[in-house]
Amino acid sequence: LKGKSVYVNVIAKNFATLEPGISFRVIRHYMEEVYGQEEAAKRIIATGSLNNSSLEQLGRERGYTLFPFPLDVGGRYSVLSAVGLLPIAVSGIDIRELLNGAREMKKLIQREALETNRAVSYALYRNILLEKGYVIEILSYFEPMLDYFSKWWVQLFGESEGKNGKGIFPTACSFSEDLHSLGQYIQEGQRILMETFVNIENPGASCIIPHEEDDKDGFAYIDGKDFTYLNKTAYEATVKAHVAGGVPCMVINVPELTPYYMGQLFYFFEYACYISGSVLGVDPFDQPGVEAYKINMFQGLGKKEVF
């Protein structure tokens, strides 16, 4: 942080959670040393539950800008609230377009008949496959910019469905990189995997492979081809190979990687997760199991009150 102009947005629904708490303490002390307490307070935003939590009390005492973490929304469902929208806006993404996309997907899902409803179909397919013994779902993609989106997806389904001895284990693969690490298992390992591909139809970028007169590197067959074409070919070949290997594959086509379509994707998966958890027979909105490790950790650290 030295030599940089520092602002911080601390996000914690329950400020008793250790990870954001200790990070914020370290950064807060650094900022107060560098800027002084009054100026530091102008640079600190606290997004948390406004129900007299310790974060709210600290923020009101020090004069932080406060944003609400909705009390009735779990963290994994909060991306379209102030929790997710401020960091997204700061990164330079148009959050109005993001919300427009989510709103449009909501309308589409509400209008579609149950038999052809895209969110319901996805939820039912994965539950049918679970009954047939496919207990792991891989979210696969050929666009590295989806890496952090995939982490959100893993939390969404893992925390929503993994209860009462039930649930599909969610994981993610970034292709073609992970084809050279997990590809062998996916292709020929135990038939316990289902795969959902997020396919970006128009990547919105171009890079042409340069021509070489001699073929010393052995890649003359790709002279003049676009990386987009190579990526698309790899995607199609992967789906074909995995299906042939006995992996049930679903494909979600996304026209472009824009805020509008990402808003649609967020809402689609959130709604589908709600349907899927309900079909599975669990509450997709609570996470009681998360507290187990916290109780043990707080006891080990000597915390007197265990929530």
Short mmCIF file of all heavy atoms in Angstrom, two decimals, residues 201-241:
data_model
loop_
_atom_site.label_atom_id
_atom_site.label_comp_id
_atom_site.label_asym_id
_atom_site.label_seq_id
_atom_site.Cartn_x
_atom_site.Cartn_y
_atom_site.Cartn_z
N GLU A 201 -20.49 -16.67 -26.87
CA GLU A 201 -20.61 -16.82 -28.32
C GLU A 201 -19.76 -15.80 -29.08
O GLU A 201 -19.17 -16.11 -30.11
CB GLU A 201 -22.08 -16.70 -28.73
CG GLU A 201 -22.93 -17.84 -28.19
CD GLU A 201 -24.40 -17.69 -28.53
OE1 GLU A 201 -24.96 -16.60 -28.31
OE2 GLU A 201 -24.98 -18.67 -29.04
N ASN A 202 -19.71 -14.56 -28.60
CA ASN A 202 -18.88 -13.54 -29.24
C ASN A 202 -17.90 -12.99 -28.20
O ASN A 202 -18.26 -12.14 -27.39
CB ASN A 202 -19.76 -12.41 -29.78
CG ASN A 202 -18.93 -11.28 -30.40
OD1 ASN A 202 -17.73 -11.45 -30.67
ND2 ASN A 202 -19.55 -10.14 -30.61
N PRO A 203 -16.65 -13.45 -28.23
CA PRO A 203 -15.68 -13.03 -27.22
C PRO A 203 -15.33 -11.54 -27.27
O PRO A 203 -14.81 -10.98 -26.31
CB PRO A 203 -14.44 -13.88 -27.52
CG PRO A 203 -14.95 -15.02 -28.34
CD PRO A 203 -16.09 -14.47 -29.12
N GLY A 204 -15.59 -10.89 -28.42
CA GLY A 204 -15.33 -9.46 -28.52
C GLY A 204 -13.86 -9.09 -28.58
O GLY A 204 -13.46 -7.99 -28.21
N ALA A 205 -13.02 -10.02 -29.03
CA ALA A 205 -11.58 -9.74 -29.14
C ALA A 205 -11.03 -10.52 -30.32
O ALA A 205 -11.64 -11.48 -30.80
CB ALA A 205 -10.86 -10.14 -27.85
N SER A 206 -9.86 -10.09 -30.78
CA SER A 206 -9.26 -10.75 -31.93
C SER A 206 -7.74 -10.70 -31.82
O SER A 206 -7.17 -9.68 -31.43
CB SER A 206 -9.71 -10.07 -33.23
OG SER A 206 -9.08 -10.67 -34.34
N CYS A 207 -7.11 -11.82 -32.14
CA CYS A 207 -5.65 -11.87 -32.22
C CYS A 207 -5.30 -12.92 -33.27
O CYS A 207 -5.61 -14.10 -33.11
CB CYS A 207 -5.04 -12.23 -30.86
SG CYS A 207 -3.23 -12.29 -30.88
N ILE A 208 -4.68 -12.47 -34.35
CA ILE A 208 -4.37 -13.35 -35.47
C ILE A 208 -3.00 -13.99 -35.29
O ILE A 208 -2.04 -13.32 -34.92
CB ILE A 208 -4.40 -12.56 -36.80
CG1 ILE A 208 -5.76 -11.87 -36.97
CG2 ILE A 208 -4.11 -13.49 -37.98
CD1 ILE A 208 -6.93 -12.81 -37.04
N ILE A 209 -2.91 -15.30 -35.55
CA ILE A 209 -1.63 -15.99 -35.49
C ILE A 209 -0.78 -15.54 -36.68
O ILE A 209 -1.21 -15.64 -37.83
CB ILE A 209 -1.83 -17.52 -35.56
CG1 ILE A 209 -2.82 -17.99 -34.49
CG2 ILE A 209 -0.49 -18.23 -35.43
CD1 ILE A 209 -2.37 -17.79 -33.08
N PRO A 210 0.43 -15.01 -36.44
CA PRO A 210 1.24 -14.50 -37.55
C PRO A 210 1.76 -15.62 -38.46
O PRO A 210 1.98 -16.76 -38.02
CB PRO A 210 2.41 -13.81 -36.84
CG PRO A 210 2.47 -14.44 -35.48
CD PRO A 210 1.07 -14.81 -35.14
N HIS A 211 1.93 -15.27 -39.73
CA HIS A 211 2.44 -16.21 -40.73
C HIS A 211 3.96 -16.30 -40.65
O HIS A 211 4.64 -15.31 -40.38
CB HIS A 211 2.02 -15.75 -42.14
CG HIS A 211 2.70 -16.50 -43.23
ND1 HIS A 211 2.37 -17.82 -43.53
CD2 HIS A 211 3.70 -16.14 -44.08
CE1 HIS A 211 3.13 -18.22 -44.53
NE2 HIS A 211 3.94 -17.23 -44.88
N GLU A 212 4.48 -17.51 -40.87
CA GLU A 212 5.93 -17.70 -40.98
C GLU A 212 6.22 -18.44 -42.27
O GLU A 212 5.52 -19.40 -42.62
CB GLU A 212 6.47 -18.49 -39.78
CG GLU A 212 6.47 -17.71 -38.47
CD GLU A 212 7.18 -18.46 -37.35
OE1 GLU A 212 7.60 -19.62 -37.56
OE2 GLU A 212 7.30 -17.88 -36.25
N GLU A 213 7.25 -17.98 -43.00
CA GLU A 213 7.59 -18.59 -44.29
C GLU A 213 8.01 -20.04 -44.13
O GLU A 213 7.61 -20.91 -44.89
CB GLU A 213 8.70 -17.78 -44.97
CG GLU A 213 8.28 -16.40 -45.44
CD GLU A 213 7.15 -16.47 -46.46
OE1 GLU A 213 7.10 -17.45 -47.23
OE2 GLU A 213 6.30 -15.56 -46.47
N ASP A 214 8.87 -20.29 -43.13
CA ASP A 214 9.25 -21.69 -42.88
C ASP A 214 8.41 -22.22 -41.72
O ASP A 214 7.87 -21.47 -40.92
CB ASP A 214 10.74 -21.81 -42.56
CG ASP A 214 11.18 -20.83 -41.48
OD1 ASP A 214 10.31 -20.32 -40.75
OD2 ASP A 214 12.39 -20.56 -41.36
N ASP A 215 8.32 -23.52 -41.65
CA ASP A 215 7.45 -24.14 -40.64
C ASP A 215 8.30 -24.82 -39.57
O ASP A 215 8.09 -25.98 -39.24
CB ASP A 215 6.51 -25.15 -41.32
CG ASP A 215 5.49 -25.73 -40.34
OD1 ASP A 215 5.21 -25.08 -39.32
OD2 ASP A 215 5.00 -26.84 -40.59
N LYS A 216 9.26 -24.07 -39.02
CA LYS A 216 10.18 -24.67 -38.07
C LYS A 216 9.51 -25.06 -36.75
O LYS A 216 9.95 -25.98 -36.07
CB LYS A 216 11.35 -23.72 -37.80
CG LYS A 216 12.27 -23.56 -39.00
CD LYS A 216 13.47 -22.68 -38.66
CE LYS A 216 14.42 -22.58 -39.87
NZ LYS A 216 15.59 -21.72 -39.60
N ASP A 217 8.45 -24.35 -36.35
CA ASP A 217 7.79 -24.71 -35.09
C ASP A 217 6.67 -25.72 -35.28
O ASP A 217 6.07 -26.19 -34.31
CB ASP A 217 7.28 -23.46 -34.37
CG ASP A 217 6.22 -22.69 -35.16
OD1 ASP A 217 5.78 -23.20 -36.21
OD2 ASP A 217 5.84 -21.59 -34.72
N GLY A 218 6.36 -26.05 -36.55
CA GLY A 218 5.36 -27.08 -36.82
C GLY A 218 3.92 -26.63 -36.72
O GLY A 218 3.01 -27.45 -36.68
N PHE A 219 3.70 -25.31 -36.72
CA PHE A 219 2.33 -24.81 -36.55
C PHE A 219 1.82 -24.05 -37.78
O PHE A 219 0.98 -23.16 -37.67
CB PHE A 219 2.24 -23.90 -35.32
CG PHE A 219 2.37 -24.64 -34.02
CD1 PHE A 219 3.54 -24.56 -33.28
CD2 PHE A 219 1.34 -25.44 -33.56
CE1 PHE A 219 3.67 -25.25 -32.08
CE2 PHE A 219 1.46 -26.14 -32.36
CZ PHE A 219 2.64 -26.05 -31.62
N ALA A 220 2.30 -24.45 -38.95
CA ALA A 220 1.86 -23.78 -40.17
C ALA A 220 0.35 -23.93 -40.39
O ALA A 220 -0.27 -23.07 -41.02
CB ALA A 220 2.62 -24.34 -41.38
N TYR A 221 -0.23 -24.99 -39.84
CA TYR A 221 -1.67 -25.23 -40.07
C TYR A 221 -2.57 -24.21 -39.38
O TYR A 221 -3.78 -24.17 -39.65
CB TYR A 221 -2.04 -26.65 -39.63
CG TYR A 221 -1.88 -26.94 -38.15
CD1 TYR A 221 -2.95 -26.78 -37.28
CD2 TYR A 221 -0.66 -27.36 -37.64
CE1 TYR A 221 -2.82 -27.04 -35.93
CE2 TYR A 221 -0.52 -27.62 -36.29
CZ TYR A 221 -1.59 -27.46 -35.44
OH TYR A 221 -1.44 -27.72 -34.10
N ILE A 222 -1.99 -23.37 -38.51
CA ILE A 222 -2.81 -22.33 -37.89
C ILE A 222 -2.42 -20.92 -38.37
O ILE A 222 -2.89 -19.93 -37.81
CB ILE A 222 -2.75 -22.39 -36.35
CG1 ILE A 222 -1.30 -22.28 -35.86
CG2 ILE A 222 -3.42 -23.64 -35.83
CD1 ILE A 222 -1.19 -22.10 -34.35
N ASP A 223 -1.58 -20.82 -39.38
CA ASP A 223 -1.21 -19.52 -39.94
C ASP A 223 -2.47 -18.71 -40.27
O ASP A 223 -3.38 -19.21 -40.94
CB ASP A 223 -0.40 -19.70 -41.24
CG ASP A 223 1.10 -19.80 -40.96
OD1 ASP A 223 1.46 -19.88 -39.78
OD2 ASP A 223 1.88 -19.80 -41.94
N GLY A 224 -2.49 -17.47 -39.82
CA GLY A 224 -3.57 -16.56 -40.19
C GLY A 224 -4.88 -16.79 -39.47
O GLY A 224 -5.85 -16.06 -39.70
N LYS A 225 -4.93 -17.77 -38.59
CA LYS A 225 -6.19 -18.03 -37.89
C LYS A 225 -6.28 -17.17 -36.63
O LYS A 225 -5.28 -16.78 -36.04
CB LYS A 225 -6.30 -19.51 -37.52
CG LYS A 225 -6.52 -20.42 -38.73
CD LYS A 225 -6.74 -21.86 -38.31
CE LYS A 225 -7.19 -22.73 -39.49
NZ LYS A 225 -6.19 -22.83 -40.54
N ASP A 226 -7.50 -16.88 -36.24
CA ASP A 226 -7.75 -16.03 -35.07
C ASP A 226 -7.80 -16.91 -33.81
O ASP A 226 -8.30 -18.04 -33.84
CB ASP A 226 -9.10 -15.32 -35.25
CG ASP A 226 -9.26 -14.13 -34.30
OD1 ASP A 226 -9.02 -14.32 -33.09
OD2 ASP A 226 -9.63 -13.05 -34.78
N PHE A 227 -7.30 -16.37 -32.70
CA PHE A 227 -7.38 -17.09 -31.43
C PHE A 227 -8.84 -17.43 -31.08
O PHE A 227 -9.12 -18.46 -30.48
CB PHE A 227 -6.76 -16.27 -30.30
CG PHE A 227 -5.33 -16.65 -30.00
CD1 PHE A 227 -4.28 -15.94 -30.54
CD2 PHE A 227 -5.06 -17.72 -29.16
CE1 PHE A 227 -2.97 -16.29 -30.26
CE2 PHE A 227 -3.75 -18.07 -28.87
CZ PHE A 227 -2.70 -17.36 -29.42
N THR A 228 -9.76 -16.55 -31.46
CA THR A 228 -11.18 -16.82 -31.22
C THR A 228 -11.61 -18.10 -31.91
O THR A 228 -12.33 -18.92 -31.34
CB THR A 228 -12.03 -15.63 -31.72
OG1 THR A 228 -11.70 -14.47 -30.97
CG2 THR A 228 -13.51 -15.92 -31.55
N TYR A 229 -11.16 -18.28 -33.13
CA TYR A 229 -11.48 -19.49 -33.89
C TYR A 229 -10.86 -20.72 -33.23
O TYR A 229 -11.50 -21.77 -33.10
CB TYR A 229 -10.98 -19.35 -35.33
CG TYR A 229 -11.05 -20.62 -36.14
CD1 TYR A 229 -12.27 -21.08 -36.65
CD2 TYR A 229 -9.90 -21.38 -36.38
CE1 TYR A 229 -12.33 -22.26 -37.39
CE2 TYR A 229 -9.96 -22.55 -37.11
CZ TYR A 229 -11.18 -22.99 -37.62
OH TYR A 229 -11.24 -24.14 -38.34
N LEU A 230 -9.61 -20.60 -32.79
CA LEU A 230 -8.93 -21.72 -32.14
C LEU A 230 -9.65 -22.10 -30.84
O LEU A 230 -9.83 -23.28 -30.54
CB LEU A 230 -7.47 -21.35 -31.84
CG LEU A 230 -6.59 -20.96 -33.04
CD1 LEU A 230 -5.19 -20.61 -32.57
CD2 LEU A 230 -6.54 -22.10 -34.04
N ASN A 231 -10.06 -21.09 -30.08
CA ASN A 231 -10.74 -21.33 -28.82
C ASN A 231 -12.09 -22.01 -29.05
O ASN A 231 -12.47 -22.93 -28.33
CB ASN A 231 -10.94 -20.00 -28.09
CG ASN A 231 -10.80 -20.13 -26.59
OD1 ASN A 231 -10.03 -20.95 -26.10
ND2 ASN A 231 -11.55 -19.34 -25.86
N LYS A 232 -12.81 -21.52 -30.06
CA LYS A 232 -14.11 -22.11 -30.40
C LYS A 232 -13.96 -23.56 -30.82
O LYS A 232 -14.75 -24.44 -30.43
CB LYS A 232 -14.78 -21.30 -31.52
CG LYS A 232 -16.19 -21.77 -31.89
CD LYS A 232 -16.82 -20.82 -32.91
CE LYS A 232 -18.26 -21.21 -33.23
NZ LYS A 232 -18.33 -22.50 -33.93
N THR A 233 -12.92 -23.83 -31.62
CA THR A 233 -12.66 -25.20 -32.07
C THR A 233 -12.33 -26.10 -30.88
O THR A 233 -12.81 -27.24 -30.80
CB THR A 233 -11.51 -25.22 -33.09
OG1 THR A 233 -11.82 -24.34 -34.18
CG2 THR A 233 -11.28 -26.62 -33.63
N ALA A 234 -11.52 -25.58 -29.96
CA ALA A 234 -11.17 -26.35 -28.76
C ALA A 234 -12.41 -26.64 -27.92
O ALA A 234 -12.58 -27.74 -27.38
CB ALA A 234 -10.12 -25.60 -27.95
N TYR A 235 -13.28 -25.63 -27.78
CA TYR A 235 -14.52 -25.81 -27.01
C TYR A 235 -15.40 -26.90 -27.63
O TYR A 235 -15.86 -27.81 -26.93
CB TYR A 235 -15.27 -24.48 -26.96
CG TYR A 235 -16.77 -24.60 -26.78
CD1 TYR A 235 -17.32 -25.04 -25.58
CD2 TYR A 235 -17.63 -24.28 -27.83
CE1 TYR A 235 -18.69 -25.18 -25.43
CE2 TYR A 235 -19.00 -24.41 -27.69
CZ TYR A 235 -19.52 -24.86 -26.49
OH TYR A 235 -20.88 -25.00 -26.35
N GLU A 236 -15.61 -26.82 -28.94
CA GLU A 236 -16.47 -27.80 -29.61
C GLU A 236 -15.88 -29.20 -29.52
O GLU A 236 -16.60 -30.19 -29.31
CB GLU A 236 -16.67 -27.39 -31.07
CG GLU A 236 -17.50 -26.13 -31.22
CD GLU A 236 -17.54 -25.62 -32.65
OE1 GLU A 236 -16.74 -26.12 -33.48
OE2 GLU A 236 -18.38 -24.74 -32.96
N ALA A 237 -14.55 -29.30 -29.65
CA ALA A 237 -13.89 -30.60 -29.56
C ALA A 237 -14.00 -31.18 -28.15
O ALA A 237 -14.16 -32.40 -27.98
CB ALA A 237 -12.42 -30.46 -29.96
N THR A 238 -13.93 -30.30 -27.15
CA THR A 238 -14.01 -30.76 -25.75
C THR A 238 -15.40 -31.28 -25.43
O THR A 238 -15.54 -32.36 -24.82
CB THR A 238 -13.64 -29.61 -24.80
OG1 THR A 238 -12.31 -29.16 -25.09
CG2 THR A 238 -13.71 -30.05 -23.35
N VAL A 239 -16.43 -30.55 -25.82
CA VAL A 239 -17.79 -31.01 -25.57
C VAL A 239 -18.02 -32.36 -26.25
O VAL A 239 -18.56 -33.31 -25.64
CB VAL A 239 -18.83 -29.98 -26.06
CG1 VAL A 239 -20.24 -30.54 -25.93
CG2 VAL A 239 -18.70 -28.68 -25.30
N LYS A 240 -17.59 -32.48 -27.49
CA LYS A 240 -17.77 -33.73 -28.24
C LYS A 240 -17.05 -34.89 -27.56
O LYS A 240 -17.61 -35.98 -27.41
CB LYS A 240 -17.24 -33.54 -29.67
CG LYS A 240 -17.45 -34.74 -30.58
CD LYS A 240 -16.94 -34.44 -31.98
CE LYS A 240 -17.14 -35.64 -32.91
NZ LYS A 240 -16.63 -35.35 -34.29
N ALA A 241 -15.81 -34.65 -27.11
CA ALA A 241 -15.02 -35.71 -26.48
C ALA A 241 -15.62 -36.13 -25.14
O ALA A 241 -15.71 -37.33 -24.82
CB ALA A 241 -13.58 -35.25 -26.29
#
